[in-house]
Amino acid sequence: MNVVRSERITPTMQRVTPCGDDLGDFPAGQESAHIKLMIPNDNQDFTEFRELIESGSKAIPRRTFTIRHHRTDTREMDVDFVVHDGGGPACSWALAAKPGDFIGVAGPGPIKKPVSGADWFLFGADIAAIPAAAAAFEALPQDAVGHAVFEITNDDDIQPVSAPKGIKLHWLVHDDPHTSSEQQLEFFRSLDWPKGLPGIFVAGESGAVSGLRKYLINERGLDKRAMYISAYWKIGLVEDQHQEQKRAEAA
Ligand SMILES: Cc1cc2nc3c(=O)[nH]c(=O)nc-3n(C[C@H](O)[C@H](O)[C@H](O)COP(=O)(O)OP(=O)(O)OC[C@H]3O[C@@H](n4cnc5c(N)ncnc54)[C@H](O)[C@@H]3O)c2cc1C
């Protein structure tokens, strides 16, 4: 796919919009689902890039991102990249992206959403998971109620999201992404929990997600199969190392 636009939507988020004829048969309504981005090096030749992808070469870095918006009429999708100083290929590519640049896209993976039949909803996400969480609650019925807590790096990272009126938004600032945060956990603990089955959606940095998972299962007695909980990245690990660690833990 080729980039048609790239813009900084908040200080810590770069929105890149790729477009391509190959999106013609991409299924509609996949906002919140993940995609795998295959990232070219600086000055990479397109034909060589395509051959490397088709041969399954490990020389091309692959990173996981979320479909934030998809417009079937223009064959475009918006992908929101956290701007971080860890120097990863995805972040660096997004910061330099300009119209005409190319990128490989594979997917989509499953749509991310809280359990169906919930009486109320509770979302917890850091900036990397805002695209998935926001797309998930934008798909809820308009009479949905609950809370969404978003952890951002500074006040200017607050971004417009179209939540149902009954979903209360809470923006918490954690200014050092290199240290794990317990703010979402403190928020979950301090919440006056409504009655009924909660629809839980939690995603973000591994340490923060792990604390929330333990709280929800051990202290709230929730069934882990009835929640969407996922570590999207881990402090100090590149994505391949983090995915390998998750697979080892699951095994
Ligand atoms: C299902 C799923 C959906 C995702 N959707 C999105 C999305 O829409 N937008 C998004 O930005 N991310 C998303 N992520 C997270 C993203 O895949 C990782 O952050 C990935 O590591 C970024 O790749 P990179 O090349 O920039 O950095 P890497 O090369 O993977 O890592 C380089 C260094 O940067 C650090 N790092 C990585 N991510 C962050 C971060 N967010 N903040 C601070 N330091 C970081 C790493 O710990 C490492 O030290 C998603 C992850 C999953 C599993």
Side-chain angles (χ1 to χ4, degrees):
M1 293 173 70
N2 289 100
V3 173
V4 285
R5 267 184 308 283
S6 178
E7 55 180 330
R8 189 69 70 93
I9 56 167
T10 73
T12 315
M13 195 151 254
Q14 185 81 18
R15 172 165 295 167
V16 182
T17 303
C19 162
D21 286 343
D22 287 351
L23 265 194
D25 57 3
F26 200 85
Q30 302 299 303
E31 287 83 358
S32 85
H34 70 264
I35 45 176
K36 291 284 176 188
L37 296 182
M38 289 157 275
I39 299 159
N41 300 323
D42 291 349
N43 307 318
Q44 185 144 31
D45 174 73
F46 177 74
T47 308
E48 182 202 40
F49 178 69
R50 193 162 196 138
E51 281 167 8
L52 285 168
I53 287 178
E54 284 169 358
S55 69
S57 166
K58 293 216 159 58
I60 304 282
R62 286 159 205 258
R63 294 289 186 267
T64 311
F65 281 79
T66 299
I67 303 169
R68 179 64 183 91
H69 304 113
H70 175 201
R71 293 173 290 279
T72 47
D73 52 345
T74 51
R75 300 186 172 183
E76 294 176 358
M77 61 168 67
D78 295 331
V79 184
D80 292 350
F81 295 74
V82 173
V83 175
H84 61 84
D85 58 8
C91 172
S92 307
W93 178 86
L95 285 175
K98 55 184 186 322
D101 286 356
F102 57 86
I103 189 164
V105 179
I111 283 180
K112 315 293 185 267
K113 56 180 181 190
V115 65
S116 36
D119 298 300
W120 63 283
F121 296 90
L122 181 57
F123 288 77
D126 70 7
I127 304 191
I130 289 179
F137 68 56
E138 285 170 5
L140 291 176
Q142 278 309 304
D143 60 354
V145 294
H147 296 268
V149 53
F150 292 132
E151 209 158 357
I152 50 179
T153 311
N154 68 60
D155 283 327
D156 294 334
D157 285 321
I158 295 177
Q159 54 176 274
V161 288
S162 320
K165 277 202 186 69
I167 302 279
K168 194 157 185 254
L169 303 180
H170 310 264
W171 299 89
L172 306 177
V173 175
H174 173 62
D175 63 7
D176 181 7
H178 302 293
T179 59
S180 197
S181 166
E182 296 207 336
Q183 287 192 107
Q184 291 178 65
L185 180 58
E186 284 159 21
F187 177 88
F188 277 28
R189 280 188 195 285
S190 68
L191 197 64
D192 191 11
W193 281 52
K195 287 204 174 64
L197 177 70
I200 305 283
F201 182 114
V202 167
E205 196 278 321
S206 174
V209 167
S210 164
L212 292 167
R213 182 187 284 115
K214 282 188 195 134
Y215 169 71
L216 293 165
I217 295 172
N218 300 340
E219 296 182 42
R220 282 283 162 189
L222 299 178
D223 180 349
K224 68 175 176 193
R225 287 162 304 184
M227 299 185 272
Y228 175 73
I229 302 196
S230 183
Y232 274 17
W233 65 283
K234 184 165 181 166
I235 293 169
L237 296 186
V238 302
E239 184 176 331
D240 307 310
Q241 296 166 325
H242 180 218
Q243 296 291 348
E244 204 174 292
Q245 195 176 78
K246 287 208 297 189
R247 278 193 294 275
E249 281 166 10

